[in-house]
């Protein structure tokens, strides 16, 4: 059974930092590209960041570029999202997801972790 479990969310003041983690079980992480998505209240879920299966390439939404960093530790079956210089607009539920190397679709999703940025 595949499980993706996010953690590290919480309440933080604008300008602060958080580090999200996503622990993966039930699949071999090195065969998957991994991503972070987020969904703000009343809005659709949107892409935040992606890292290739070997960790060599990363991609970011323009809204987080320069502030967020995605990373992975295949040995620990865990991916991370370091979020710095948080702004109010970063408030959302954050989801991690796994995409097989041969696929264009993210097939496995976590339940999400809430990030709330206050002024």
């Amino acid at each position: 059974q595949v499980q993706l479990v996010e953690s590290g969310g919480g309440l933080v003041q604008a300008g602060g930092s958080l580090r999200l983690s996503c622990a993966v079980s039930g699949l071999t992480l090195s065969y998957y590209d991994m991503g972070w998505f987020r969904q703000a209240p009343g809005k659709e879920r949107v892409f935040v960041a992606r890292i290739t299966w070997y960790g060599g390439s990363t991609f970011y939404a323009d809204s987080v570029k320069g502030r967020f960093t995605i990373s992975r530790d295949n040995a620990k079956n865990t991916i991370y999202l370091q979020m710095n210089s948080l702004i109010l607009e970063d408030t959302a539920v954050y989801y991690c997801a796994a995409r097989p190397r041969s696929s264009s679709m993210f097939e496995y999703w976590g339940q999400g972790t809430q990030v709330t940025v206050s002024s």
Side-chain angles (χ1 to χ4, degrees), residues 24-100:
V24 182
S25 59
L27 55 80
T28 303
L29 197 60
S30 58
Y31 293 157
Y32 292 79
D33 289 352
M34 298 298 296
W36 287 97
F37 295 74
R38 68 186 183 187
Q39 186 168 20
K43 296 187 177 180
E44 294 185 350
R45 187 160 55 188
V46 297
F47 168 78
V48 174
R50 176 170 67 89
I51 186 167
T52 53
W53 61 272
Y54 56 93
S57 296
T58 56
F59 307 87
Y60 297 93
D62 287 344
S63 59
V64 306
K65 203 171 292 183
R67 300 188 298 120
F68 290 11
T69 302
I70 187 172
S71 61
R72 65 191 294 158
D73 186 336
N74 287 347
K76 294 183 178 179
N77 261 28
T78 302
I79 66 166
Y80 306 95
L81 186 68
Q82 178 66 44
M83 306 187 296
N84 298 328
S85 302
L86 285 161
I87 59 177
L88 298 181
E89 290 77 14
D90 294 323
T91 295
V93 177
Y94 284 72
Y95 301 88
C96 67
R99 185 180 83 178

Side-chain angles (χ1 to χ4, degrees), residues 3-23:
Q3 282 192 314
L4 285 69
V5 180
E6 302 93 338
S7 61
L11 176 64
V12 62
Q13 284 192 323
S17 299
L18 281 176
R19 188 194 197 202
L20 304 184
S21 299
C22 174

